[in-house]
Amino acid sequence: TTYIGNQGELTFLGKALIESGGSGTISKCGHFYLKYNYKANTVSVLEMKENLHTGRQLQEVKTTQNTHDIGVSNDGQLVFVPHNRDNRLYQFSLNSDLGKLEPLNPPYIEGAKFEDKGFSAFRSLAFHPHKNVLYCTYEKGGGLASLKYDINGLKLWQEFSTVDKGVHVLPTTVVLSPNNEFLFIPNR
């Protein structure tokens, strides 16, 4: 963990051993690091105190292949994890007292089928900061999904291709503009 000073300077504060790699995000309450591991096909909750990882893993949940991102709802109560191999978007509630993930019912939603839409494979998330809406790219074929959520989970709202029919691309991420009016999806 590194502290950012008033002038932007960095001060190294400490580190903790994490047995398996991966990437993640910090919970809205700041007490947990929520991590996904692409190769191990897991989602984990790591304990944090005073902005430092304590070295304690509180939970590890086995999912399916190829986790690609993780995101937390605006209220901090829900966690979403896209997996592109099986085209699933997993959904959990987060108990912020215990640091435990609980799968919602259903535990995931399935994305568009490539044969039907020309795109598939959930990949990257962006959350609207003021609405219960998240956006997710489809890695295979350049699709984009708009999903509404509430305490019961996700509902697919809109989906469409970001490219002309017959053009095959692989979007990497999705970014919301600072004014919250535009999405940017780089295709490779």
Side-chain angles (χ1 to χ4, degrees), residues 154-165:
L154 294 164
K155 297 278 189 251
L156 182 62
W157 183 27
Q158 300 171 295
E159 59 185 2
F160 58 88
S161 180
T162 62
V163 296
D164 294 332
K165 188 173 182 165

Side-chain angles (χ1 to χ4, degrees), residues 38 41 63-68 82-87 90:
Y38 181 87
N41 308 313
T63 57
T64 191
Q65 293 182 330
N66 300 19
T67 56
H68 257 292
H83 293 64
N84 71 2
R85 170 90 184 251
D86 292 326
N87 196 21
Y90 278 78

Side-chain angles (χ1 to χ4, degrees), residues 96-174:
S96 58
D97 292 326
L98 301 175
K100 297 287 182 186
L101 295 171
E102 184 67 36
L104 296 180
N105 185 14
Y108 58 85
I109 66 166
E110 292 187 359
K113 295 191 181 339
F114 188 82
E115 302 77 35
D116 297 337
K117 300 272 188 163
F119 49 82
S120 68
F122 285 126
R123 181 178 170 113
S124 298
L125 303 173
F127 287 78
H128 193 285
H130 309 298
K131 302 179 188 321
N132 287 353
V133 176
L134 69 85
Y135 310 99
C136 187
T137 57
Y138 283 111
E139 181 175 38
K140 185 177 177 184
L144 179 67
S146 176
L147 303 107
K148 292 184 177 184
Y149 62 86
D150 60 25
I151 199 66
N152 298 309
L154 294 164
K155 297 278 189 251
L156 182 62
W157 183 27
Q158 300 171 295
E159 59 185 2
F160 58 88
S161 180
T162 62
V163 296
D164 294 332
K165 188 173 182 165
V167 175
H168 298 288
V169 296
L170 302 169
T172 54
T173 191
V174 56

Side-chain angles (χ1 to χ4, degrees), residues 16-120:
L17 177 65
I18 298 175
E19 291 191 24
S20 65
S23 187
T25 191
I26 296 173
S27 65
K28 300 288 183 185
C29 65
H31 299 146
F32 313 106
Y33 184 74
L34 306 167
K35 179 177 74 91
Y36 68 92
N37 185 304
Y38 181 87
K39 292 188 182 218
N41 308 313
T42 58
V43 178
S44 303
V45 181
L46 308 177
E47 182 182 57
M48 294 182 67
K49 287 192 178 169
E50 298 179 14
N51 299 308
L52 293 172
H53 172 43
T54 65
R56 215 172 135 218
Q57 179 172 285
L58 302 175
Q59 183 184 25
E60 184 174 79
V61 178
K62 190 80 170 157
T63 57
T64 191
Q65 293 182 330
N66 300 19
T67 56
H68 257 292
D69 201 356
I70 192 166
V72 181
S73 63
N74 295 332
D75 65 5
Q77 295 181 14
L78 300 172
V79 175
F80 303 108
V81 187
H83 293 64
N84 71 2
R85 170 90 184 251
D86 292 326
N87 196 21
R88 295 178 179 173
L89 186 46
Y90 278 78
Q91 49 187 7
F92 302 92
S93 62
L94 174 63
N95 181 322
S96 58
D97 292 326
L98 301 175
K100 297 287 182 186
L101 295 171
E102 184 67 36
L104 296 180
N105 185 14
Y108 58 85
I109 66 166
E110 292 187 359
K113 295 191 181 339
F114 188 82
E115 302 77 35
D116 297 337
K117 300 272 188 163
F119 49 82
S120 68

